[in-house]
Amino acid sequence: FLAGLFASDLLKIYKMKNEQIPEIIPPVGICSPGRRRLFVGINGELGPCEKIGYDLPIGSVQTGINDHLGEGAITIMSDYRNELCVDCYIQRICESCWISTLKGNSMSLDVFKNNCPTLKADTLDKLSLFSSLTQVADNDRIHSHLGAYKMI
């Protein structure tokens, strides 16, 4: 039961690589639109997931998924992260999602900037939880449990 509540939040922290931060920050926390999740609207519009719906359309059931739209969104998100997150202390585990950039049906750097404090606070809460669990719980059990998960 507890694993269901906390494992997904703690897994990214546990699996974080201890390596030099790259010059170009890759987007983390985002999915490839239409790959693992897909939202289908009542008129056949396709959106990347249920959180965004078809506010950031990536195709339709008639035409299929337009990979260029998804790739374009990934490029925009990468550009935003490289502009804003270079010196951010949570950049490796930040869970900024497409939804953290949306203003209407387009992506906005200002919306992304405004969501940073919330993302940082959420990440600090998760780091605090992770730290508390590793101090009071059986470390071997935590390591074996989290180590068994695969990140996809």
Side-chain angles (χ1 to χ4, degrees):
F1 173 73
L2 290 176
L5 289 176
F6 300 115
S8 64
D9 289 340
L10 302 179
L11 193 57
K12 190 171 279 190
I13 297 167
Y14 182 79
K15 298 274 185 175
M16 184 174 55
K17 294 178 180 165
N18 186 14
E19 58 190 30
Q20 187 169 351
I21 295 173
E23 286 185 31
I24 297 175
I25 304 168
V28 295
I30 63 169
C31 57
S32 295
R35 299 290 186 248
R36 286 189 7 193
R37 293 182 172 175
L38 188 64
F39 176 84
V40 182
I42 59 172
N43 295 322
E45 312 92 344
L46 299 178
C49 72
E50 73 284 354
K51 293 178 188 174
I52 296 174
Y54 45 84
D55 287 340
L56 189 64
I58 59 170
S60 72
V61 292
Q62 291 81 21
T63 60
I65 295 173
N66 183 337
D67 286 331
H68 296 295
L69 292 174
E71 291 168 10
I74 289 173
T75 300
I76 291 170
M77 191 71 167
S78 294
D79 291 346
Y80 287 177
R81 284 186 47 81
N82 281 290
E83 183 173 332
L84 295 176
C85 309
V86 173
D87 296 321
C88 181
Y89 59 92
I90 66 164
Q91 67 170 255
R92 290 184 187 191
I93 54 176
C94 179
E95 294 187 354
S96 55
C97 170
W98 306 109
I99 206 160
S100 67
T101 69
L102 289 183
K103 181 176 187 176
N105 62 351
S106 61
M107 297 171 79
S108 163
L109 181 61
D110 289 333
V111 171
F112 187 65
K113 278 184 202 178
N114 292 337
N115 282 318
C116 281
T118 302
L119 291 166
K120 287 178 181 178
D122 289 347
T123 302
L124 287 175
D125 287 344
K126 291 171 187 174
L127 285 167
S128 177
L129 173 64
F130 185 79
S131 177
S132 296
L133 284 175
T134 56
Q135 289 176 13
V136 299
D138 178 3
N139 277 340
D140 291 336
R141 187 171 175 207
I142 289 173
H143 291 295
S144 67
H145 188 73
L146 288 174
Y149 283 90
K150 301 267 189 265
M151 294 191 65
I152 55 172

